């Protein structure tokens, strides 16, 4: 439950800082819907240093950009030469041995540098999302009745939760763990381990089956779960279950919020640059059992209403042979961390209330901080993905504003020209609404996020994979399409991953939408 949660319209609450605020629909950033508390219009206040950072990433690949056209031109010219031209060139080179040696040396040196510095491609072979059994479903009326019967919540807190559920964008088919169905709830360590095992192993079993990959073939394992980090670790539980090889490089990421799925992919990508011919598995999940809040502080009640059971397992590879069967190629990962700022660091904070009950507290500054992180992230990402025409227009208006202090409205880049599909973390309705407005997206671009929130709730770091599965299940993914996954997390972080489809992608067997895609989109949510 890494970040903030969401409901639809404004509801009064007391914030973590003791002030009075408003909770609004917001995914990982869902507080304050008053005009002063809305997600800032980040595209109207671009910071030049973040544009420079994006261009730095671009220039870092300048060698590749220079050599590739040169090689292409050389090959075209060579293909147009006739036999007499080649003979004359050979006779000329026989009498210019020094030139031949120098040119050959430069060519060999250039190709060597290019090969050595070129990043290895990372392929997404396949992924799977966990779909819990039907008996774990938590319709709104059952959720409220259960909350009342526990005896932990006063009338004000029950009414607050009811309003959140009504306006949250969640449907009646989301899932809560087994322990939360009991009366009284049983948030024990045994129950928490059981939830983690069912989610992780359920997703991994489907992944290995669909990909025909043996567990022994996995060389890298990265697991992320924000709030449940037992000993032995979750990654060790996977190693033990599937008897993974002894030299596997395993990592367990904790406390990194809803954006940790992108962080885990980035870590796996870096490891795949070092270790050749290797498969990497990334497992993203969250554990609800021991992180349910049983108090009456309203800013800490929201996670109970929005977070639901879910998890995803992703198979990555740097093997060239896997390109033929892979679904996607990783193009970019851009990470933004605002943790150096004290307000950003504490805006989503796990703590105890005045009764000693633990929960995640939300700051009144959350929306502004999230907007700043998002602005930084997309400004850095822009030079990497936007067409040159959009970059020139954007950069020209920015320079005019900075150099001449002109009252010029910055040009808002059209990210629809860079991406075909958008997977915005399904943390809540308000942030989806705000990103749709700020990035000038169409309803179809945010449909996957809205429907994932409705069908599965906020599944934390795995939500972006349920969204990608939705797009595939609708048959919309075509070869060459680019997908932008964007997520927010405590700390405060905003992270993006860009993928390119290598073929017309069909949904994998036993996908999370297999039995319900015909019911979506829900018209009242898509409008």
């Amino acid at each position: 439950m890494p970040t903030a949660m969401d409901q639809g319209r404004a509801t009064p609450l007391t914030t973590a800082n003791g002030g009075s605020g408003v909770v609004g629909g917001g995914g990982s950033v869902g507080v304050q819907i008053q005009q002063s508390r809305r997600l800032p219009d980040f595209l109207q206040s671009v910071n030049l240093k973040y544009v420079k950072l994006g261009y730095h990433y671009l220039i870092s690949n300048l060698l590749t950009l220079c050599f590739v056209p040169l090689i292409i031109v050389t090959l075209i010219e060579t293909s147009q030469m006739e036999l007499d031209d080649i003979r004359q060139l050979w006779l000329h080179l026989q009498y210019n041995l020094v030139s031949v040696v120098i040119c050959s040396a430069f060519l060999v040196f250039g190709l060597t540098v290019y090969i050595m510095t070129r990043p290895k491609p990372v392929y997404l072979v396949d992924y799977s999302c966990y779909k819990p059994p039907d008996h774990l479903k938590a319709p709104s009326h059952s959720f409220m009745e259960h909350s009342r019967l526990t005896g932990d919540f006063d009338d004000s807190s029950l009414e607050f939760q009811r309003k959140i559920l009504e306006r949250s964008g969640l449907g009646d088919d989301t899932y809560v763990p087994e322990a939360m169905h009991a009366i009284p709830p049983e948030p024990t360590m045994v129950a928490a381990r059981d939830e983690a095992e069912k989610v992780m192993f359920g997703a991994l079993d489907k992944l290995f089956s669909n990909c025909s990959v043996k567990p022994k073939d996995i060389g890298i394992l990265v697991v992320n779960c924000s709030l449940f980090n037992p000993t032995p670790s979750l990654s060790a539980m996977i190693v033990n279950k599937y008897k993974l090889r002894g030299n596997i490089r395993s990592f367990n990421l904790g406390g990194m919020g809803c954006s940790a799925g992108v962080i885990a992919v980035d870590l796996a990508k870096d490891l795949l640059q070092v270790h050749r011919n290797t498969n990497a598995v990334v497992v993203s999940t969250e554990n609800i059992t021991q992180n349910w809040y049983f108090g009456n502080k309203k800013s800490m009640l929201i996670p109970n209403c929005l977070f639901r059971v879910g998890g995803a397992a992703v198979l990555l590879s740097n093997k060239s042979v896997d390109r033929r069967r892979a679904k996607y190629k990783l193009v970019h990962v851009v990470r933004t961390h605002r943790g150096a700022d004290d307000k950003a660091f504490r805006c989503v904070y796990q703590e105890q209330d005045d009764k000693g009950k633990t929960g995640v507290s939300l700051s009144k500054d959350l929306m502004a901080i999230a907007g700043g992180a998002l602005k930084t992230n997309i400004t850095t990402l822009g030079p990497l993905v936007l067409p040159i025409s959009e970059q020139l227009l954007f950069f020209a208006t920015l320079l005019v504003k900075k150099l001449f202090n002109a009252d010029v409205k910055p040009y808002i880049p059209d990210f629809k020209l860079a991406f075909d599909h958008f997977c915005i973390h399904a943390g809540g309705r308000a942030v989806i609404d705000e990103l749709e407005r700020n990035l000038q997206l169409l309803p179809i671009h945010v449909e996957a996020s809205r429907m994932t929130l409705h069908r599965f709730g906020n599944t934390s770091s795995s939500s972006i994979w349920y969204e990608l599965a939705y797009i595939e299940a609708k048959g919309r993914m075509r070869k060459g399409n680019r997908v932008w996954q964007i997520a927010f997390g405590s700390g405060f972080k905003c992270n993006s991953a860009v993928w390119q489809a290598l073929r017309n992608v069909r949904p994998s067997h036993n996908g999370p939408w297999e039995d319900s895609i015909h019911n979506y989109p829900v018209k009242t949510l898509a409008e």
Side-chain angles (χ1 to χ4, degrees), residues 89-392:
L89 180 62
W90 172 250
L91 293 173
H92 176 72
L93 292 177
Q94 281 183 317
Y95 299 101
N96 291 274
L97 184 59
V98 176
S99 300
V100 172
V101 172
I102 293 174
C103 290
S104 300
F106 271 111
L107 182 61
V108 171
F109 175 76
L111 289 174
T112 302
V113 170
Y114 171 73
I115 293 171
M116 295 296 291
T117 59
R118 184 187 59 175
K120 300 178 182 67
V122 174
Y123 303 112
L124 193 164
V125 179
D126 204 352
Y127 64 96
S128 65
C129 299
Y130 176 67
K131 183 174 176 292
D134 287 345
H135 73 272
L136 295 184
K137 287 184 177 180
S140 298
H141 65 277
S142 299
F143 180 95
M144 289 307 305
E145 179 65 13
H146 186 276
S147 296
R148 185 184 65 81
L149 292 174
T150 61
D152 293 299
F153 308 107
D154 58 30
D155 291 342
S156 175
S157 296
L158 288 171
E159 178 63 14
F160 181 76
Q161 292 180 79
R162 184 188 66 79
K163 290 181 179 179
I164 293 177
L165 286 172
E166 285 180 354
R167 304 162 182 170
S168 64
L170 273 72
D172 285 333
D173 291 329
T174 61
Y175 308 88
V176 297
E178 193 86 50
M180 295 299 106
H181 283 272
I183 300 178
E186 301 172 347
T188 64
M189 175 62 77
V190 172
R193 284 184 183 274
D194 181 65
E195 179 192 349
E197 289 175 354
K198 285 179 178 176
V199 173
M200 295 191 303
F201 300 163
L204 285 167
D205 285 345
K206 284 199 296 184
L207 180 68
F208 291 146
S209 174
N210 290 341
C211 297
S212 300
V213 171
K214 298 178 181 178
K216 290 288 186 182
D217 295 332
I218 306 303
I220 297 168
L221 173 65
V222 183
V223 180
N224 71 270
C225 182
S226 193
L227 293 178
F228 182 60
N229 294 283
T231 300
S233 66
L234 299 178
S235 59
M237 291 165 61
I238 293 174
V239 172
N240 178 260
K241 164 70 175 180
Y242 294 99
K243 309 305 177 188
L244 303 184
R245 62 199 201 197
N247 65 344
I248 189 169
R249 295 162 180 84
S250 64
F251 300 85
N252 207 95
L253 307 181
M256 304 194 80
C258 294
S259 66
V262 177
I263 296 172
V265 167
D266 191 38
L267 175 58
K269 177 204 72 174
D270 290 343
L271 292 167
L272 288 170
Q273 297 304 307
V274 179
H275 304 286
R276 293 181 175 276
N277 297 318
T278 304
N279 292 319
V281 166
V282 172
V283 179
S284 297
T285 186
E286 190 51 86
N287 193 282
I288 296 175
T289 297
Q290 286 198 316
N291 295 291
W292 203 265
Y293 177 62
F294 294 99
N296 291 289
K297 189 174 181 179
K298 291 182 174 60
S299 61
M300 300 169 77
L301 279 169
I302 306 170
N304 292 7
C305 301
L306 297 184
F307 276 93
R308 295 295 184 262
V309 174
V314 183
L315 177 63
L316 303 174
S317 173
N318 59 8
K319 300 177 181 178
S320 57
V321 68
D322 281 335
R323 178 185 173 89
R324 288 177 294 180
R325 64 174 185 144
K327 288 185 172 184
Y328 305 95
K329 176 183 176 182
L330 182 60
V331 183
H332 300 293
V333 175
V334 174
R335 293 167 54 181
T336 301
H337 203 310
R338 302 296 294 271
D341 179 79
D342 290 341
K343 287 186 177 180
F345 176 72
R346 294 186 63 88
C347 71
V348 181
Y349 204 76
Q350 187 182 24
E351 60 183 2
Q352 293 179 322
D353 64 13
D354 54 4
K355 301 293 185 182
K357 296 183 178 181
T358 302
V360 176
S361 178
L362 310 179
S363 165
K364 63 182 181 180
D365 301 314
L366 182 55
M367 285 297 279
I369 291 165
L374 182 59
K375 179 180 70 175
T376 303
N377 191 268
I378 68 169
T379 308
T380 304
L381 181 66
L384 300 177
V385 298
L386 288 169
I388 190 65
S389 58
E390 290 294 297
Q391 294 190 45
L392 290 175

Side-chain angles (χ1 to χ4, degrees), residues 18-80:
S20 180
V22 178
V23 173
S28 295
V29 284
V31 275
Q32 282 84 11
I33 228 163
Q34 295 171 331
Q35 184 64 28
S36 61
R37 300 300 186 192
R38 294 183 70 181
L39 189 68
D41 196 356
F42 44 83
L43 288 171
Q44 301 299 317
S45 56
V46 177
N47 194 320
L48 185 59
K49 70 177 181 180
Y50 299 125
V51 180
K52 291 178 180 177
L53 183 59
Y55 280 97
H56 166 73
Y57 289 154
L58 188 66
I59 295 302
S60 64
N61 294 310
L62 187 61
L63 188 63
T64 300
L65 296 176
C66 291
F67 270 105
V68 169
L70 183 61
I71 293 172
I72 292 174
V73 170
T74 303
L75 291 174
I76 292 174
E77 289 295 329
T78 303
S79 65
Q80 294 177 347

Side-chain angles (χ1 to χ4, degrees), residues 475-522:
R476 298 172 182 168
M477 191 64 68
R478 295 289 181 263
K479 182 178 180 179
N481 282 180
R482 284 197 170 197
V483 187
W484 182 13
Q485 293 179 323
I486 185 167
F488 306 91
S490 56
F492 193 86
K493 300 178 289 293
C494 177
N495 300 320
S496 295
V498 179
W499 304 88
Q500 184 173 29
L502 298 176
R503 52 186 168 91
N504 294 343
V505 181
R506 295 183 178 180
S508 300
H509 181 58
N510 286 328
W513 298 93
E514 197 168 88
D515 61 348
S516 61
I517 192 62
H518 59 281
N519 296 323
Y520 289 89
V522 178

